[in-house]
Amino acid sequence: MSWSTCYRFRFSSSAVVCLALFYIVVFNGLSLYGLIKSTYTPVSLPVNRDRLYFAYMKYDRALWKCKKPHLSQTPLPLTALASFPGSGNTWVRHILQQATGILTGSIYNDKVLKIMGFPGENIQNSSVLVVKTHDYGRNETQKYQKAILILRNPKDALLAEFNRLRGGHIGFARKEDFTKKWKGFVTIKAKSWFELNKSWLDFPGDLHILRYEDLKSDPINEIKSLLKFLRINISQKELSCVIENLTGRFKRPERDVTNYTLYPSLLRQDLERYELRINRTVKQRHRQANIPHS
């Protein structure tokens, strides 16, 4: 074999290797970007208990610090974990999983959440502790035996959801997003905030109302109340572990944003009216039935 032939062979081999590496980097980079930017994708897939997406997790102690994750071996009441998006649903799921070790389910199939500590995504049966939902109306509420409603004030909930839609689970919307999209988003979603919460407050079965702000200010008592509703007992040591690992991986960093800038007078008045009506409905619900109140 001549030197020129050897040179051409080595050059072509190097080129193939380089092209292969380039393809791998680009493909994986695009895949990761897609996962980061993914939003809820309702998909109906059969659940195989023996292949429950643990290929991604393998009981990662960085994600599960208090208890080993598992599906319930005995059927649990089908319990909705309902909220308007941006109200802390993922946070409450994290807390419940740390406290009990039982996986939480969802009507959605969010691939980022599935990989990052919530392998129960898309499971909607009695093997999971609760089922996350942002849907409402009779067709949705009648599926469940019990329900937990997470209530967050509309100003913060709308802002959190807008940031998620525009910046991912823990990112932020850009300035231009607020300039071009924010007002229309609030105008439409403010009514949805009211309708969702009103729908679940009319839930005919056992209902636990959990206020996001109360969970932030008094997590110990709110977690105890929540677990009592679910009829689960944990020790003080187990509760301490939950408190030590309270935040989880999907807590958006605090950012100083002036509500006055985001909510001009008319928008602010609409939100306050909706919030007042929901607060009245909450009081009526507590007067009509003896339900857990946080």
Side-chain angles (χ1 to χ4, degrees):
M1 183 182 292
S2 66
W3 283 108
S4 61
T5 302
C6 290
Y7 177 78
R8 284 197 301 272
F9 175 77
R10 288 174 180 171
F11 176 78
S12 60
S13 297
S14 299
V16 169
V17 172
C18 288
L19 286 173
L21 289 172
F22 177 78
Y23 172 81
I24 291 170
V25 170
V26 171
F27 177 80
N28 283 285
L30 290 174
S31 298
L32 180 60
Y33 180 81
L35 283 174
I36 292 171
K37 290 295 184 181
S38 73
T39 54
Y40 304 124
T41 308
V43 179
S44 179
L45 294 174
V47 176
N48 185 328
R49 292 171 70 95
D50 297 324
R51 301 174 64 187
L52 181 66
Y53 229 101
F54 275 80
Y56 284 97
M57 226 182 80
K58 298 291 186 184
Y59 180 30
D60 185 347
R61 289 187 177 275
L63 300 174
W64 294 78
K65 302 216 174 169
C66 298
K67 290 188 178 179
K68 184 176 179 179
H70 61 277
L71 292 170
S72 177
Q73 297 301 307
T74 57
L76 299 169
L78 193 60
T79 303
L81 184 64
S83 68
F84 181 82
S87 298
N89 201 302
T90 302
W91 182 33
V92 174
R93 289 177 71 188
H94 164 77
I95 289 170
L96 288 174
Q97 291 185 162
Q98 295 295 325
T100 68
I102 304 173
L103 299 181
T104 59
S106 174
I107 70 169
Y108 310 106
N109 190 29
D110 189 314
K111 294 178 178 62
V112 174
L113 293 182
K114 186 174 265 189
I115 293 171
M116 299 299 290
F118 299 92
E121 277 291 292
N122 203 220
I123 299 180
Q124 307 170 49
N125 59 38
S126 295
S127 68
V128 291
L129 186 60
V130 295
V131 178
K132 170 183 177 176
T133 179
H134 298 315
D135 285 359
Y136 59 97
R138 183 171 174 78
N139 288 340
E140 178 67 11
T141 60
Q142 68 183 2
K143 297 176 186 176
Y144 302 95
Q145 298 166 271
K146 303 172 68 173
I148 298 164
L149 174 63
I150 308 170
L151 265 177
R152 187 179 188 182
N153 79 76
K155 291 179 185 177
D156 289 344
L158 288 168
L159 178 59
E161 175 60 0
F162 189 74
N163 279 323
R164 186 194 70 82
L165 288 172
R166 297 292 166 180
H169 280 289
I170 57 174
F172 293 92
R174 301 168 300 174
K175 275 190 176 181
E176 50 265 42
D177 293 325
F178 284 101
T179 302
K180 298 176 181 178
K181 305 286 186 180
W182 172 248
K183 186 176 180 180
F185 171 84
V186 173
T187 302
I188 295 170
K189 294 298 183 179
K191 187 177 181 181
S192 297
W193 179 91
F194 170 78
E195 290 175 344
L196 181 147
N197 288 306
K198 181 65 170 65
S199 175
W200 282 102
L201 285 169
D202 291 336
F203 181 72
D206 290 341
L207 175 69
H208 182 85
I209 300 166
L210 173 63
R211 290 191 179 272
Y212 176 93
E213 293 79 11
D214 291 343
L215 183 59
K216 280 188 69 176
S217 63
D218 188 11
I220 292 176
N221 284 321
E222 292 303 319
I223 292 169
K224 285 181 178 179
S225 179
L226 184 56
L227 293 175
K228 182 179 179 181
F229 174 76
L230 294 169
R231 298 186 179 180
I232 293 176
N233 297 315
I234 63 172
S235 67
Q236 184 59 45
K237 182 179 179 181
E238 290 170 326
L239 180 59
S240 296
C241 181
V242 176
I243 297 302
E244 288 171 7
N245 299 281
L246 192 64
T247 303
R249 292 192 173 187
F250 290 95
K251 169 72 173 174
R252 184 175 286 105
E254 298 289 340
R255 177 177 282 190
D256 185 18
V257 180
T258 304
N259 276 343
Y260 182 79
T261 303
L262 292 175
Y263 298 101
S265 179
L266 289 177
L267 286 179
R268 192 166 65 251
Q269 288 174 16
D270 287 342
L271 290 177
E272 288 170 354
R273 279 196 295 268
Y274 283 136
E275 189 172 14
L276 180 61
R277 290 173 66 184
I278 288 299
N279 287 338
R280 286 174 178 168
T281 305
V282 170
K283 291 179 181 178
Q284 290 171 2
R285 173 90 195 200
H286 287 300
R287 282 197 297 265
Q288 291 168 358
N290 183 22
I291 61 173
H293 179 41
S294 55

